[in-house]
Structure formats: structure tokens, C-alpha cells
Amino acid sequence: MAGTPGRFLAAVLLLVSSGLHRSSTCPDSCTCTRAPLLNCSSTGLSSAPRLLRDSVAELDLSHNLLDSVSLDQPHRNLRDVWLGDNGIARLSLCVERNRGQRRLCGSRTWRGRGCESWAPALQLLSVERNQLQQLPQGLDGSESLQVLQLSFNRISTLRPGELRHLRQLKELHLQHNLISSLHPQMFQDLVQLRVLDLSFNMLTSLHPLTYLSLRNIGADVRLGGNRWQCDCSMRSLRRRMAFDGSRGLQAWSLVCASPSVLSGRELLQLEDDDLNCFSTENGPELHRDVTVYRGSEILLSCAPQGDSHKCTII
């Protein structure tokens, strides 16, 4: 009996200690019932948890009020991160260093390139339905990345070299953004790429070298819903696509948005003679749709009619 109070006190201290350990490793309002998953989805978070257990492999911060996400140390077991349906305008995977050791995103201080990633073993990053205006910084520190989901954002520019280290990337989802052009070598290093979704952007033309690099990789490329301008600059692309079609390869779907006489027609349904460009030397363009804002000045291209010129604003 003499030892009973001591055993009771030890049991109480063990329970208290266990409770403190759980509270310190599982952030308030998050769920940690399944060991590898830290589920903080739909909890009203305005900032990301600062402390993560080493065992966390999946982090779900979707459907919150986040405008940024930053962590101050690498989490080497972290594989999947969901950040969808927040208000994130800028995302960095770079570790934040404090006490004079802070490393700025994009600085060339880690392995001679990029910066140290807080998710170096990342395989899936989902940031759909946010306000991103550019690709996340520090992607080159997550060379194991396989799925990058960035749909429904405001990305307008893809800079050459931003994806060159992602040689394990299999899916790249960029649909419903504001991308207006693609560098010919943008995707040539993505040798494992199987799905590239660029549908519903602002693309008007596609360089033949972009087509060839993605054809050589064998990716499933989705391009619907763009504003393809079917003029003479698309002749070379149409010929290459037609040649591949004659060999039994699946054709890409490019539906013309302009000029108006070709609107709604597939590029492959056209002939070279249909793809025209007009200049002041070989003849005027007779019709063009232009958005004009109130108070702006415009220069009209006028069509000759006999000894006069006719200029029409519709």
C-alpha cells in the first residue's frame, strides 16, 4: 500500500505528459487521427501551422483563409500537400530562416541553385482555385514532384527553366489560367510528363518546337478553350500535326477563334490556303474584332473602294 500513492502520481504525470505531447504535435482545430495525415481542411485557418510532426506525410490545408504558406524547416517525410480553395497569391517552397539565417526565395544559396525546400521529398502539390500569378518558387528543391495542380489561378507567364529540374513530373495541370504564350523549350526536360492540361487559357499560337518536344515525350496535351488565331503563322504546325495524323497518332484539338471566317473550325480541317496573313503590301484585312475602352484612341485600317477608302466601326 505504501507504494500506491507513488504509482498513482506517476500515472497522473504520464497522462498529463501524454496530453501535452499530443497538443504540441497536433495543432488546434486540426485532426491527427490517421498517423501520416495532418488534416486542417475547412477549419478557418489564416496561417499555416508552424510545427509539424516528423511523421506527417500528408498535409491538407485546403478550404481555408490562407494568403501564403511558409515553414521554417525541411520536412523530409512530407509527400502530399493540398492548398486548394484559399486566397494564396504567392507561394514559396523555400525554408524561412530566422535569427540572421533567413534565405530569401529565389536566392542562389542552396546547392548552387534555388533555395532549400521545406518539402524536399514532395510528390504532389495541389494549389488549385487560388490567386497565384506565377509558378510557386523553389520548385527545383522538390525534384521528386510527380503531380503539380495549379488550375483556376491567375498565372499569365511561364518562364523558361522554371520546371527543368522536375524530371519526375507526370502531371501538370494549368487549365483556367491567363497564359498567353509558351516558350518553345518550356517542357522539353519533363521526360516523364504524361498529362499537360493548358485548356481555357489565353493562348493564340503554338510554336512547332513546343509541339515536337511534347510529341517526343508522349504527353496527353489538352488545349481546348483557348483563343487560337488561325493565320499563316500556324501553317507549319498544321503540317506537322497532319503528318502525325497520317501515321495514326492521336491529333491535338485546336479550334480556331479567329479570324471570324474560320471561327469554330479545327486547325486540321483547314488547308494552307485558308491560313492567311494580311499586310499593307498584299492587301488589307477586311474585318477584325477589337475591344476599345472608352476614352482610348484607335488607328483604323481602311479598305479601298474605288477612289476612296471606307472605314467602319461596328
Side-chain angles (χ1 to χ4, degrees):
M1 294 296 293
T4 300
R7 288 196 296 271
F8 177 76
L9 179 60
V12 170
L13 290 174
L14 180 62
L15 288 173
V16 171
S17 174
S18 176
L20 290 174
H21 179 70
R22 283 195 298 270
S23 64
S24 64
T25 57
C26 190
D28 293 340
S29 75
C30 299
T31 303
C32 305
T33 54
R34 187 162 67 85
L37 171 65
L38 176 57
N39 185 1
C40 303
S41 177
S42 303
T43 55
L45 289 178
S46 58
S47 61
R50 303 298 296 182
L51 297 176
L52 301 182
R53 297 172 298 176
D54 291 338
S55 61
V56 171
E58 304 170 29
L59 175 62
D60 190 348
L61 297 174
S62 61
H63 298 276
N64 278 295
L65 305 174
L66 303 175
D67 56 16
S68 64
V69 175
S70 60
L71 299 176
D72 56 10
Q73 67 182 34
H75 296 275
R76 304 191 184 282
N77 291 318
L78 196 57
R79 300 291 188 273
D80 301 336
V81 175
W82 291 276
L83 302 173
D85 292 278
N86 278 282
I88 301 172
R90 179 177 174 275
L91 177 63
S92 173
L93 301 180
C94 298
V95 169
E96 287 196 354
R97 299 293 189 184
N98 298 318
R99 301 187 182 95
Q101 297 181 347
R102 182 183 179 89
R103 295 187 183 185
L104 297 177
C105 300
S107 63
R108 301 290 169 180
T109 56
W110 180 64
R111 295 183 185 176
R113 57 172 177 77
C115 52
E116 186 174 12
S117 173
W118 49 258
L122 192 64
Q123 295 182 7
L124 179 148
L125 177 61
S126 178
V127 203
E128 76 276 12
R129 295 183 177 85
N130 277 274
Q131 300 295 320
L132 289 179
Q133 298 182 28
Q134 61 185 23
L135 296 183
Q137 291 180 301
L139 284 173
D140 53 359
S142 299
E143 295 181 349
S144 299
L145 191 64
Q146 297 183 19
V147 178
L148 182 56
Q149 167 62 275
L150 301 172
S151 59
F152 292 92
N153 277 279
R154 301 185 62 81
I155 299 171
S156 59
T157 304
L158 301 178
R159 292 186 293 271
E162 286 186 298
L163 302 171
R164 66 179 180 273
H165 297 290
L166 303 183
R167 296 182 178 272
Q168 302 301 315
L169 192 65
K170 296 180 179 178
E171 297 185 21
L172 177 56
H173 298 271
L174 288 164
Q175 63 269 32
H176 292 277
N177 275 279
L178 302 174
I179 300 167
S180 58
S181 63
L182 298 172
H183 190 277
Q185 298 175 329
M186 187 70 211
F187 308 110
Q188 67 177 10
D189 297 317
L190 306 183
V191 294
Q192 299 294 326
L193 193 64
R194 293 296 172 264
V195 175
L196 173 61
D197 197 337
L198 288 163
S199 56
F200 296 97
N201 274 275
M202 304 297 289
L203 295 170
T204 59
S205 62
L206 189 69
H207 197 285
L209 291 179
T210 305
Y211 173 80
L212 287 176
S213 66
L214 290 169
R215 265 298 189 208
N216 291 336
I217 293 171
D220 174 14
V221 181
R222 304 165 188 176
L223 297 168
N226 282 280
R227 304 294 297 171
W228 301 112
Q229 182 174 324
C230 295
D231 58 18
C232 59
S233 66
M234 300 285 269
R235 287 176 183 168
S236 178
L237 176 63
R238 192 204 67 80
R239 292 170 190 163
R240 294 178 186 275
M241 292 175 61
F243 174 73
D244 286 342
S246 69
R247 295 190 298 154
L249 297 178
Q250 183 177 358
W252 293 6
S253 177
L254 274 71
V255 178
C256 303
S258 64
S260 58
V261 293
L262 300 179
S263 179
R265 297 183 62 182
E266 287 269 359
L267 179 62
L268 276 176
Q269 295 176 349
L270 305 176
E271 301 294 337
D272 278 2
D273 291 342
D274 297 319
L275 302 173
N276 298 310
C277 286
F278 295 93
S279 69
T280 56
E281 296 180 358
N282 60 18
E285 183 171 348
L286 299 180
H287 174 80
R288 176 181 295 173
D289 293 324
V290 180
T291 300
V292 180
Y293 297 95
R294 180 178 297 176
S296 62
E297 296 181 0
I298 60 172
L299 180 63
L300 298 178
S301 176
C302 303
Q305 288 191 353
D307 296 330
S308 63
H309 287 72
K310 180 179 181 182
C311 304
T312 304
I313 301 179
I314 300 177

